[in-house]
Amino acid sequence: MKKYPDLDSALNAMPRFLEFEKDVQERGPKAAKTRVAADPDKQYVFFQKNGKLCYRSDCPDYGGYWLDGLYGAVVCKQVDFLLPGVILELYCRNHCGECPLHIEIKNDERQGEL
């Protein structure tokens, strides 16, 4: 069973995301919605596989990126839902080792070895 059953529980465990969200909210009510992800079922939403320029990550859990005209969505193999596009910049691209989703898998693997 995965530790994060829904989007809010996963995002609330991500310190980099919470800091980003706080900064955006301080800009006022017209700030972008931070917890929204692109919906792949809508028209004109495109999938960018890992390795495509601007949408790449060395994280083994990164599965690609959905993109519409306004929002993005990160595919993470550790959850059953899409994460907001900003997670690519906050964690997947350069800070994968700090991501709670990735760290959780490392800890589970270690427990299995004991």
Side-chain angles (χ1 to χ4, degrees):
M1 184 169 137
K2 299 196 178 194
K3 182 174 182 176
Y4 302 104
D6 58 43
L7 178 61
D8 285 331
S9 64
L11 294 177
N12 289 338
M14 298 178 161
R16 286 178 173 275
F17 176 80
L18 294 175
E19 184 63 31
F20 166 78
E21 186 174 51
K22 178 182 171 201
D23 290 346
V24 168
Q25 288 174 348
E26 288 174 357
R27 295 181 197 151
K30 292 187 178 184
K33 296 177 183 177
T34 57
R35 293 181 178 243
V36 175
D39 182 353
D41 294 330
K42 297 220 173 166
Q43 188 175 12
Y44 306 119
V45 180
F46 303 96
F47 184 72
Q48 305 294 326
K49 65 181 180 177
N50 192 8
K52 180 102 175 181
L53 184 63
C54 299
Y55 302 101
R56 53 182 111 169
S57 170
D58 291 331
C59 179
D61 300 322
Y62 178 71
Y65 193 88
W66 287 98
L67 179 66
D68 69 17
L70 187 56
Y71 300 107
V74 171
V75 176
C76 178
K77 297 173 185 173
Q78 299 308 319
V79 293
D80 297 326
F81 45 84
L82 296 172
L83 299 167
V86 71
I87 298 300
L88 177 63
E89 294 300 324
L90 295 175
Y91 286 101
C92 305
R93 192 180 312 267
N94 296 313
H95 303 285
C96 175
E98 296 175 24
C99 180
L101 304 177
H102 184 69
I103 291 169
E104 184 66 28
I105 293 308
K106 284 182 179 177
N107 290 337
D108 285 348
E109 288 173 0
R110 283 191 213 133
Q111 289 174 0
E113 293 173 3
L114 296 176

